[in-house]
Amino acid sequence: MRIAIKLTFLLLPLLVFSGAAAQFKVSFVVTGLPAYHGKDEPLFITGSFCNWNPGDGRMRFGFIGGKPGITIELSKGMFEYKITRGSWDKAEAAAGGLPIANRQLQLESDTTIEIAIEHWSDHFPKRPKQTTASPNVHVIDTAFFIPQLNRHRRVWIYLPAQYAGSGERYPVVYMQDGQNVFDEASSAYGEWGVDEALDSLPAGRRQAIIVAIDNGGSKRINEYAPYDMERFGKGEGDMYVDFLAKTLKPYIDRNYRTKKGRDHSFVAGSSMGALISFYAVLKYPGVFGGAGIFSPAFWVNPRFRNLDPKKLRKLKSRLYFYAGREEGEQMVPDMLAVFDQLHRHSKARMETVIRAEGKHNEATWRGEWVNFFDWLMNP
């Protein structure tokens, strides 16, 4: 087992109401609104502390001192947030309706934050996004059936440029949050650019087929969580990874020239997508031989802190862990706690990368993807 820790420290932007850590009261008060804002329109705060749900009823503003405001309790750490009117198409914006960067809060004590909203994004005509998917990306099905969940989902595939003209077989990486993998037009927060990254590889470098599965929108947290959650309800991750292993992978292997064995079948994702990718390897160590685990949201399912050593002893996969220091106070400690269990009980080959400047967003994961892929394809 090889362990490489590039830098060390912090965690993800997704921690609220954690009873173990000291809690501080944070009051968010809106001191300025656009002149066209309707007085009866609701306001919400969303961010890393509520899984970026833009219309979470618990995050709806009341009034503080006669102004729109809300007080919540958070533990010490770094948080990112925005203000909405209940959905992402009604989020705060800059002049012309341009998106603004996430607001940031470094919480050290009880505090009050004053916020001025310049514009709302839906006040301006929508600018259609241009597709950025390369010609090597195709949609397998806009409504691929998931029998385990009785739902349908869009599934994308990237085939290497030389696929059509050769008889070569390729390893496959199954990626979560497919909306964000290839195309700016379908992504909510920016794409990973996986297709551009692979298209630009020099001749002779190892290639792969990439299969990307769209997330389930409002069902995303449930589908990507293996265990039930007090805050978010039933965990459906068991059924979702059954779909990956028993339905989707056999379909891909039947219809495309793949290298079918576990040593050539991988999963990857970020945040909740990282959580379920790691779980897929745990549950199906004979099917998936590796995973890219980017900024894993282990806080959602605390059971990952106490994994079954018997299961870990069966794990011989290649695992690439990534986290950024600017993702919150618990990201790195939580990730390293899981890493430590693997180190003690498994024979997994692991790479652990922790970057001081890393954030919890697609732009950061896009930059790390190339390193992961190179490590995966060139052991």
Side-chain angles (χ1 to χ4, degrees), residues 95-288:
L98 295 174
I100 64 171
N102 294 338
R103 297 177 183 270
Q104 292 189 334
L105 165 64
Q106 180 64 54
L107 186 60
E108 304 285 347
S109 62
D110 292 351
T111 189
T112 296
I113 307 295
E114 294 186 347
I115 302 167
I117 308 296
E118 186 176 2
H119 285 292
W120 296 115
S121 57
D122 61 323
H123 181 68
F124 302 88
K126 287 187 177 180
R127 297 184 177 122
K129 290 183 177 180
Q130 298 298 313
T131 183
T132 59
S134 95
N136 297 319
V137 173
H138 312 279
V139 173
I140 294 175
D141 195 335
T142 58
F144 196 102
F145 185 52
I146 305 177
Q148 293 83 356
L149 294 166
N150 195 29
R151 294 173 195 149
H152 296 82
R153 200 63 42 79
R154 179 172 55 186
V155 177
W156 314 63
I157 192 166
Y158 170 91
L159 299 174
Q162 62 270 35
Y163 180 89
S166 74
E168 187 176 351
R169 293 185 175 274
Y170 297 89
V172 183
V173 182
Y174 295 85
M175 294 190 66
Q176 322 316 318
D177 292 312
Q179 295 98 323
N180 304 328
V181 174
F182 303 121
D183 198 347
E184 190 72 27
S186 62
S187 68
Y189 313 109
E191 58 150 325
W192 285 45
V194 168
D195 46 341
E196 289 89 350
L198 298 185
D199 284 347
S200 64
L201 286 178
R205 292 289 293 277
R206 293 190 66 189
Q207 280 279 5
I209 292 172
I210 310 296
V211 176
I213 309 99
D214 279 8
N215 67 53
S218 62
K219 292 289 187 180
R220 177 177 182 267
I221 295 179
N222 304 87
E223 289 183 1
Y224 288 174
Y227 313 116
D228 292 347
M229 302 158 286
E230 182 178 351
R231 288 181 53 206
F232 303 113
K234 182 174 177 57
E236 300 175 331
D238 255 328
M239 291 180 284
Y240 180 79
V241 298
D242 287 349
F243 161 69
L244 293 180
K246 296 181 177 180
T247 302
L248 184 59
K249 185 181 185 302
Y251 175 90
I252 298 298
D253 287 340
R254 283 195 308 270
N255 290 280
Y256 298 91
R257 294 196 312 275
T258 67
K259 293 182 176 180
K260 301 178 182 180
R262 67 174 296 279
D263 291 336
H264 307 287
S265 303
F266 313 106
V267 284
S270 61
S271 193
M272 289 297 299
L275 188 79
I276 200 61
S277 294
F278 177 56
Y279 184 74
V281 173
L282 283 178
K283 185 172 183 180
Y284 289 104
V287 176
F288 300 113

Side-chain angles (χ1 to χ4, degrees), residues 2 206 263-264 266 318 349 372-379:
R2 188 173 126 230
R206 293 190 66 189
D263 291 336
H264 307 287
F266 313 106
R318 286 177 276 166
R349 176 179 174 239
F372 157 66
F373 186 77
D374 184 60
W375 177 85
L376 189 67
M377 293 293 109
N378 299 285

Side-chain angles (χ1 to χ4, degrees), residues 287-309:
V287 176
F288 300 113
I293 304 160
F294 297 83
S295 307
F298 288 130
W299 69 276
V300 172
N301 276 160
R303 282 177 61 177
F304 279 98
R305 297 170 187 162
N306 295 288
L307 295 169
D308 185 351

Side-chain angles (χ1 to χ4, degrees), residues 7-12 76-78 106 295 322-336 354-356 358:
L7 263 165
T8 312
F9 228 19
L10 270 87
L11 155 87
L12 140 163
K76 177 182 176 182
M78 169 72 77
Q106 180 64 54
S295 307
Y322 166 81
R325 180 173 179 172
E326 296 188 21
E327 297 192 69
E329 191 173 62
Q330 286 305 117
M331 172 58 76
V332 169
D334 278 5
M335 190 179 77
L336 291 181
I354 301 169
R355 302 200 186 280

